[in-house]
Amino acid sequence: MAYKSLYRAYRPQTFEDVSGQQAIIKTLRHAIDENKIAHAYLFCGPRGTGKTTVAKLFAKAVNCTGEHKPCGQCANCKAIANGTHQDVIEIDAASNNGVEEVRNLIDKVKYAPIQGKYKVYIIDEVHMMSTGAFNALLKTLEEPPAHVIFILATTEPHKILPTIISRCQRFDFSRLTDEEMIDRMKTVMKEEGKTYEEGALALIAKLANGGMRDALSILEQCLAYNDEHLSEKDVNSIYGIVSLEDKINLIKVILAKDMNIALEIIEKMDQSGIDVKRLTYDLIDILKDVVIYKNTKNLSVLSVLSSSYIDSIVPYITSEDALAFIDILLAATEKFARSVNPGIYFELAILKLCNQDHAGVVTQVEKAPMPKLQPVQDLSQTRPQIAPVQKPKTQPQLQTQPQDENDYRQEDPSINDVPEDDHQPDVQSASEKKPEFHFQQTESVSKATGMIEVDEADILNILVQAKRTILNSCQEKWTVMKRYMANMNTAKAASLLVNGKPVAACPGGMVIAFEYMTDVNAANYYKNYHQIAALIKDVMGEEYKYVAIEQNAWLKLRKKFIVLHKQRKLPKPGPIVLKHIEQVNENHENKADKKLTDAQKMALDMFGPDIVEFSED
């Protein structure tokens, strides 16, 4: 017996076997059951979505002599399935598109059916018919004999004359979902007695792009490559696809701004015959999922990333970076269609993403050392290695461990949940209370900025509103902070925070304790504040105004808080205000009000007020 392709061997023989198109199937079955069969139908939609299959099933159903139509067992059903039924005529309009062919068809329409109840004409790719052929068909299509049904199938309905469309019942077939195609492929694999990996079928479904016929054709080719067991690696090898793990690894290399490794990976891909167009869209899909997950925390709406891959990419990249990457990659895709060698534009896009040569911008804090990535041996082994965070060697190591910052909750568990009626009516508010202590901070680079006071009242205001549940959530999420050091855009802020830990948190406010005063100064420095706050918002999912404090100072302030609480002298809660930051912002606004030269305005526009300082010579 001659071999049949999978898409032919497993063509649905009943309406129940059809994957997708449930609304169309339901409509056609009701029309058959109620004997409200139209004289002409137009099936349009992408290739491989079931147009011809449903047309044959409809021809079976209207001629079926069984109770459940189509039964697949009666003589008419079997003849139509074998292609030998004399009353079901399939016509390829691509090769029979002239006026003469249509006239021959019209001459035969008037004859009664030989075997069945209806004579069914299935005209495939009907948009290929000439204008003269369409005009010749018009009258017959509008008023055919009662025993004739026309089913026109096309992938391009816009090319069909409106006068033809208006004479038909139109059904638009949609692309199948990945789940529908995977379910059908599982049935085929079970019938064939083959083993497979779930990821392999998912990858084939994605390659098929909604076409069931394409999916079965790809499946057949993969089985020819490895008939014993279908693996995801096999599909990647046949179609030149980069695995999801390697694509995530490439994004990490880009985030680390390691151009050497990125270029090596691109060269390996070029030698392997990777389809850069597909790779570019795959990278966009991953980055899109990152943005969606960071904003929704909902795995069910993601199209590419699964739970097993979330932790491997999401903690390393911010939503802003992901959207910026998407813009650059989309700009590259627009040039693919006009280029003989799309790989050039893909390589340029990667170079742009890895570029570190930004002229004139001076950072205010020394860059954290970026992780050294191992040389590429092969594409599957390329992984960026994140170096562990090291304590500064110049800082003294304490001989004893600092007291656990959560001990004060054992002394008085109500500190993080102070009721509003627990305050004395005559006590000053947090904003009015005179600070009883302050600590000073200096710039963490060579240039000093002067003495900046951090108001104790600002910290107490956070403490009186603090909640244990918020603190627990912040501390749990804080563990991924070091992963952001692998991203060049967030490495500086992450390196400043990684040695700290939240010790108190309220809605919109957070206190972070550090062991060394140099870390406190760097975190509280106003030029670092907005970048650090943006990273905290990305990690926590909410915006927090933060204050950094040295560990010993925190222990003293905590004890003082407990005493004030027992004495019922705590300040009333108020809006979260950080005077040491807001005063700087006001100074910048005042500077902006002064008359500036054109050169000074250009410098402010290019680099921002946090970086630019003007001095008079």
Side-chain angles (χ1 to χ4, degrees), residues 546-559:
Y546 74 89
V547 177
I549 187 172
E550 194 263 337
Q551 180 69 32
N552 292 331
W554 162 246
L555 297 176
K556 294 177 182 178
L557 182 60
R558 183 185 62 186
K559 291 180 180 179

Side-chain angles (χ1 to χ4, degrees), residues 19 176-189 196-206 212 215:
S19 298
L176 278 70
T177 65
D178 288 355
E179 291 74 16
E180 291 169 341
M181 289 188 288
I182 290 171
D183 289 342
R184 184 60 178 170
M185 284 189 287
K186 285 181 179 179
T187 302
V188 172
M189 293 295 283
Y196 57 89
E197 292 179 3
E198 294 279 350
L201 297 184
L203 189 54
I204 291 174
K206 185 176 180 181
M212 192 69 247

Side-chain angles (χ1 to χ4, degrees), residues 42 61 126 145 157 250 318 328 377 405 411 582 597 616:
L42 174 62
V126 70
L250 176 58
T318 64
I328 293 174
Q377 300 301 324
E405 62 272 10
E411 298 177 44
E582 296 192 357
T597 65
E616 298 181 2

Side-chain angles (χ1 to χ4, degrees), residues 426-562:
D426 57 345
V427 177
Q428 292 175 311
S429 67
S431 61
E432 297 170 348
K433 183 177 177 62
K434 184 178 180 180
E436 299 186 14
F437 91 104
H438 67 268
F439 56 90
Q440 299 168 341
Q441 56 184 354
T442 59
E443 189 172 5
S444 57
V445 289
S446 58
K447 182 179 177 181
T449 60
M451 313 302 287
I452 301 175
E453 295 184 352
V454 176
D455 200 327
E456 176 188 337
D458 293 346
I459 303 177
L460 289 175
N461 186 36
I462 294 176
L463 294 182
V464 297
Q465 303 177 67
K467 299 291 182 183
R468 163 58 77 176
T469 54
I470 299 178
L471 177 62
N472 289 343
S473 176
C474 290
Q475 289 179 341
E476 180 180 353
K477 296 177 181 178
W478 199 265
T479 57
V480 303
M481 189 66 70
K482 63 182 179 181
R483 300 184 184 179
Y484 284 84
M485 294 179 67
N487 182 344
M488 193 65 176
N489 296 324
T490 58
K492 182 179 74 174
S495 65
L496 293 175
L497 292 175
V498 74
N499 292 327
K501 185 178 181 181
V503 291
C506 71
M510 180 188 299
V511 179
I512 307 172
F514 293 86
E515 187 174 353
Y516 301 111
M517 198 64 197
T518 53
D519 294 332
V520 174
N521 292 338
N524 280 327
Y525 182 42
Y526 74 92
K527 289 188 177 181
N528 299 331
Y529 176 81
H530 296 291
Q531 186 176 359
I532 293 176
L535 177 59
I536 291 176
K537 179 181 178 181
D538 194 75
V539 174
M540 302 299 167
E542 298 180 32
E543 185 174 355
Y544 287 92
K545 293 182 178 180
Y546 74 89
V547 177
I549 187 172
E550 194 263 337
Q551 180 69 32
N552 292 331
W554 162 246
L555 297 176
K556 294 177 182 178
L557 182 60
R558 183 185 62 186
K559 291 180 180 179
K560 179 177 180 178
F561 182 91
I562 294 173

Side-chain angles (χ1 to χ4, degrees), residues 99 159 163 191 215 261 297 312 336 360 371 404 418 429 443 492-493 526 537 568 607:
V99 177
K159 293 184 178 180
T163 50
E191 292 291 331
I261 298 297
K297 306 298 181 184
S312 65
F336 285 168
D404 185 2
V418 180
S429 67
E443 189 172 5
K492 182 179 74 174
Y526 74 92
K537 179 181 178 181
R568 303 174 67 84
F607 306 115

